[in-house]
Amino acid sequence: MTDLHTVRAGAQPIGVRKDLRVPMRDGVTLAADAYSGTDDTPRPALVALSPYGKELQALALTTPPQRRPSPMWDGCIEAGDIARVVQEGYVHVIGDLRGSGASEGEHIGNYNAGGVSLGQDAYDFIEWVASQPWCDGNVGMIGISYFGSMQVLAAAERPPSLKAIFVSGGHYDFYETTYHGGVMWFMPRAAREGRGGDSGWAFTDGVKSRMLETYSPEEIRKRVAERLDDPDVAAWPNLVHVLNYPKNHEAWFDIVMNEVDGDWYEERNPVTLAPDIDIPVWLQIDQGRGWTLDGTIELYHRLNGPKKLDIGPYLPMQSRPSSRSTTRCSAGTSTGSRASTTG
């Protein structure tokens, strides 16, 4: 077991276990950091998983949450307020997905990591956390955006140790996230490559295009030419660039090449998987994240277990759930102006 050492968030001491190696069933290992109290007392754990890099999330210990348009705001620091999570008596476990950060393996396409579903990896990650001597066997999940989507994928796999999830601002219907109402939106490019206040994925050589892995070079050339025949695509230098030079823009290339909803987006669609979830789910969304509001409501209606939907006021983008300086829901309470639905 990795040694526990102490860091400080202001005056608060926090125990840290760095660079844990979490085995997946196929032999790949994922990297994680665990934050807790400063002794070895077993505690319940809150897991947060994304491709944004666990080291970036550690900035939550030293940088207060920022609202846009602060130049210090970063849309990828979304695993949660580490100090608050620890203060409430949890272990906060932050992990890197396959093909990102310090983790092994390949990440190919949307929610499909080298042919292994990210939900399957989340299952293995959660059960490993539950078996550790510093965890009491009870696991929940926390986090915004990609972290939120991962919670739904994990819960649909029904890991026995996962007791509840608190999902904020996730992306569920991936087609509606990338082509909202059929209109292409560039936010997924920012999330992947880092633009406009997003650091982007902590990608490795294991991140690959699903399209390039699936089709022959001849078929790719044909499909690229067809996309470039669209005058709306050909008029945008960014799109011309990514279509001609996809190697380092693999996720955005896949999106641009799939402009119509269908099998590519439907595979492991969190909305489709929602009926498989039977644990308590608390969904939270700010109206300012309008591109995911409708998907959140659709997801809520498809959930079969205990559920709550919390729609917050317009001012969005303080990107850490359970922060001391935010009006988001925490510790079973909801503050601020809210429209809530319970089922």
Side-chain angles (χ1 to χ4, degrees):
M1 181 176 67
T2 302
D3 291 339
L4 182 70
H5 68 277
T6 302
V7 299
R8 304 193 78 85
Q12 180 182 351
I14 295 176
V16 185
R17 292 179 172 87
K18 287 287 295 180
D19 300 318
L20 301 168
R21 302 308 302 184
V22 184
M24 301 293 101
R25 67 190 70 178
D26 64 349
V28 166
T29 64
L30 306 188
D33 296 337
Y35 301 86
S36 68
T38 56
D39 58 45
D40 290 324
T41 302
R43 297 172 171 88
L46 292 180
V47 164
L49 296 169
S50 86
Y52 294 138
K54 62 185 179 65
E55 305 304 330
L56 184 66
Q57 308 309 311
L59 292 180
L61 291 169
T62 55
T63 305
Q66 305 290 316
R67 284 198 186 276
R68 295 178 76 178
S70 166
M72 296 182 70
W73 174 80
D74 193 298
C76 296
I77 306 177
E78 298 173 323
D81 184 337
I82 297 169
R84 174 63 182 273
V85 171
V86 171
Q87 186 181 66
E88 295 293 337
Y90 296 95
V91 185
H92 196 183
V93 187
I94 302 174
D96 294 333
L97 293 178
R98 285 179 185 243
S100 70
S103 290
E104 299 173 349
E106 293 184 334
H107 191 127
I108 302 174
N110 182 47
Y111 301 142
N112 182 288
V116 175
S117 78
L118 296 184
Q120 176 180 302
D121 276 355
Y123 181 109
D124 293 349
F125 191 100
I126 289 164
E127 292 306 305
W128 181 87
V129 167
S131 71
Q132 299 309 298
W134 39 262
C135 179
D136 69 3
N138 295 297
V139 180
M141 296 188 77
I142 193 172
I144 294 173
S145 191
Y146 207 117
F147 292 95
S149 302
M150 282 304 305
Q151 295 181 54
V152 177
L153 295 174
E157 296 286 330
R158 295 182 174 178
S161 302
L162 184 62
K163 308 304 182 185
I165 58 177
F166 174 52
V167 188
S168 181
H171 302 151
Y172 310 115
D173 186 325
F174 193 60
Y175 180 77
E176 283 297 316
T177 299
T178 55
Y179 288 89
H180 195 73
V183 179
M184 185 190 298
W185 188 47
F186 276 43
M187 170 62 181
R189 183 180 185 186
R192 167 60 181 89
E193 299 180 10
R195 293 168 182 261
D198 289 287
S199 292
W201 289 8
F203 58 89
T204 69
D205 291 341
V207 178
K208 298 180 179 180
S209 159
R210 183 82 172 275
M211 295 295 290
L212 294 180
E213 291 291 306
T214 301
Y215 296 103
S216 68
E218 293 77 15
E219 182 66 20
I220 290 293
R221 283 193 290 270
K222 175 185 174 183
R223 289 173 177 246
V224 166
E226 290 172 352
R227 290 298 282 134
L228 289 171
D229 279 341
D230 183 335
D232 290 333
V233 172
W236 278 88
N238 286 167
L239 299 184
V240 173
H241 187 275
V242 75
L243 286 169
N244 280 285
Y245 311 105
K247 183 175 176 55
N248 294 319
H249 307 280
E250 69 298 310
W252 186 241
F253 177 77
D254 284 354
I255 289 167
V256 176
M257 291 291 286
N258 289 275
E259 77 277 18
V260 177
D261 201 358
D263 292 344
W264 191 84
Y265 292 101
E266 187 59 28
E267 183 185 43
R268 303 187 180 99
N269 182 338
V271 172
T272 304
L273 297 174
D276 294 332
I277 299 173
D278 55 6
I279 61 172
V281 177
W282 189 335
L283 295 169
Q284 189 276 331
I285 185 75
D286 286 324
Q287 294 179 51
R289 298 178 75 100
W291 63 93
T292 59
L293 182 59
D294 50 356
T296 300
I297 294 171
E298 184 179 6
L299 179 76
Y300 170 80
H301 285 301
R302 294 196 180 193
L303 292 166
N304 281 325
K307 55 188 176 180
K308 180 172 183 175
L309 171 60
D310 188 3
I311 301 176
Y314 176 75
L315 294 174
M317 299 306 214
Q318 250 181 259
S319 50
R320 288 171 214 160
S322 300
S323 169
R324 281 168 239 157
S325 57
T326 181
T327 58
R328 294 193 190 281
C329 309
S330 63
T333 65
S334 176
T335 61
S337 173
R338 303 221 165 256
S340 297
T341 305
T342 56

